[in-house]
Amino acid sequence: MIRSDKGVFWAILLPLIAVLIWSLNIAVTRYVAAYISPVSISFYRWLIAFLILTPWILPKVWQQRELIRPHLKQLAVLSAFGLVLYQGLSYTAANYTTATNMGIINAFIPMFTILVSLLILKDIPTRFAVLGCIISFSGLLYVIAQGDLRQLSELTGHAGDMLMVLAVFFYAFYGVFLKKWNLKLPLMLSLYVQIIFALLYHLPFSVVRLRSIK
């Protein structure tokens, strides 16, 4: 019974901690948006993660390189969707919308995941899932329109919200691809290789950014 209670405790606490971290991430992103470019935020975030993880993870990556090599293309795609497109668009959206709207739209990831799963995995959602999607999508439109659905015709006024919706859509692809491929790789090794790809993707944009500053 004690073990069961501990399991329930951690099952509740860990998701709450994850949500708190995501909330702080959104708030900080919105705060620094006026001072740091989206490309710089995303690049340096993954660069710091890479530098911190390298002493512990790189030797393991080298040891298990034969296990990792067949999955490099898949890891590259995952990195593009989850670490680059989602993060990059989120940071860009922070320049044009509020942290509150970003958080609300981010909460629609499950709805988009259901839709993408239907397209890629052919997973047929239950009627309750469909009903939930309809209600969620209606709520999303209400948030973007700021309570006045007539404003939806003026999309230029909601550029940040639309970018955030697109970011969430890409993250849904990230989750579905994870499920579809079900890579038999240790979590930290998979994340580390994705971070390397993310840095490579960011590198050309970072170089252009530095040259424009000079």
Side-chain angles (χ1 to χ4, degrees):
M1 181 62 70
I2 294 177
R3 290 184 179 179
S4 178
D5 291 341
K6 286 185 177 179
V8 172
F9 172 78
W10 286 110
I12 295 174
L13 181 61
L14 291 178
L16 289 176
I17 293 175
V19 170
L20 177 61
I21 293 173
W22 275 108
S23 300
L24 290 173
N25 177 62
I26 290 174
V28 172
T29 297
R30 182 65 185 88
Y31 178 77
V32 303
Y35 307 100
I36 308 175
S37 71
V39 171
S40 296
I41 296 174
S42 188
F43 176 77
Y44 288 114
R45 172 184 180 174
W46 296 123
L47 178 60
I48 292 173
F50 172 77
L51 294 176
I52 292 174
L53 293 175
T54 292
W56 291 275
I57 305 300
L58 183 57
K60 296 179 181 179
V61 170
W62 180 253
Q63 292 171 3
Q64 302 193 44
R65 60 188 182 279
E66 295 302 326
L67 177 65
I68 296 173
R69 185 177 290 117
H71 302 296
L72 285 177
K73 290 183 179 179
Q74 295 164 321
L75 291 170
V77 171
L78 290 173
S79 176
F81 278 94
L83 277 61
V84 179
L85 290 172
Y86 171 68
Q87 298 291 347
L89 288 171
S90 298
Y91 296 144
T92 304
N95 289 279
Y96 306 104
T97 189
T98 65
T100 300
N101 276 22
M102 290 177 66
I104 292 174
I105 295 172
N106 202 66
F108 286 90
I109 288 177
M111 181 193 73
F112 283 91
T113 301
I114 291 174
L115 296 176
V116 175
S117 294
L118 177 61
L119 294 174
I120 296 179
L121 302 179
K122 308 303 180 183
D123 284 347
I124 306 300
T126 66
R127 58 182 179 180
F128 295 107
V130 173
L131 178 61
C133 284
I134 294 173
I135 295 174
S136 297
F137 187 70
S138 301
L140 179 60
L141 292 179
Y142 187 82
V143 169
I144 294 176
Q146 300 176 0
D148 185 0
L149 296 179
R150 291 175 296 180
Q151 291 191 31
L152 290 176
S153 61
E154 304 173 5
L155 293 180
T156 54
H158 310 285
D161 294 333
M162 298 307 295
L163 284 173
M164 195 63 200
V165 169
L166 187 59
V168 167
F169 190 64
F170 281 127
Y171 193 79
F173 272 98
Y174 177 79
V176 171
F177 282 139
L178 275 178
K179 173 66 176 178
K180 177 180 176 65
W181 291 328
N182 192 24
L183 304 181
K184 304 301 182 182
L185 295 174
L187 176 61
M188 293 307 298
L189 296 189
S190 173
L191 176 61
Y192 185 78
V193 176
Q194 289 180 56
I195 289 174
I196 293 175
F197 278 116
L199 290 173
L200 293 175
Y201 290 140
H202 280 92
L203 198 57
F205 300 100
S206 299
V207 171
V208 171
R209 172 68 180 173
L210 290 174
R211 288 183 176 178
S212 65
I213 295 176
K214 294 180 181 180

